[in-house]
Amino acid sequence: MNHATPLRRTLTALTATTLLAGGLLLGQTVTAEPAHAAGKKIVCDVPKLRQQAAELRSKAAKLQRLGSTAEARKVRAYADALERQAQACVDADNNAGKPWQ
């Protein structure tokens, strides 16, 4: 009886894992919805995003006054994310149609 060497077992396990992971990724890619469909525009409501960020910042200040620093930090982080999203929309609008820059 011939036993498999440790290297052969390792390579077999690695190959099986790679094939399984590749199949899962391929299946997810095929069934996933596209980020935006052709012909549809992604529209950002910049004033609304900035308004939400301002409201969250006031909520964070209130939480900070009440002593909930961890929650205030999370709310501020979310407000920062909304501000970055709004700024990204503004930058995308400013750079649209300028492929030379």
Side-chain angles (χ1 to χ4, degrees), residues 48-97:
K48 183 178 178 181
L49 288 172
R50 291 198 170 141
Q51 176 65 32
Q52 288 175 345
E55 289 170 1
L56 287 173
R57 288 189 195 285
S58 66
K59 180 179 177 180
K62 185 176 181 180
L63 286 170
Q64 185 73 36
R65 282 193 304 272
L66 293 174
S68 301
T69 56
E71 289 84 5
R73 191 177 311 122
K74 288 178 187 177
V75 172
R76 268 193 217 99
Y78 189 62
D80 290 341
L82 288 175
E83 281 288 336
R84 283 192 301 272
Q85 183 180 3
Q87 188 59 44
C89 289
V90 170
D91 291 343
D93 285 342
N94 289 340
N95 293 332

Side-chain angles (χ1 to χ4, degrees), residues 31-46:
T31 60
E33 293 274 334
H36 60 282
K40 286 189 178 179
K41 263 183 131 175
I42 298 175
V43 179
C44 296
D45 190 1
V46 176

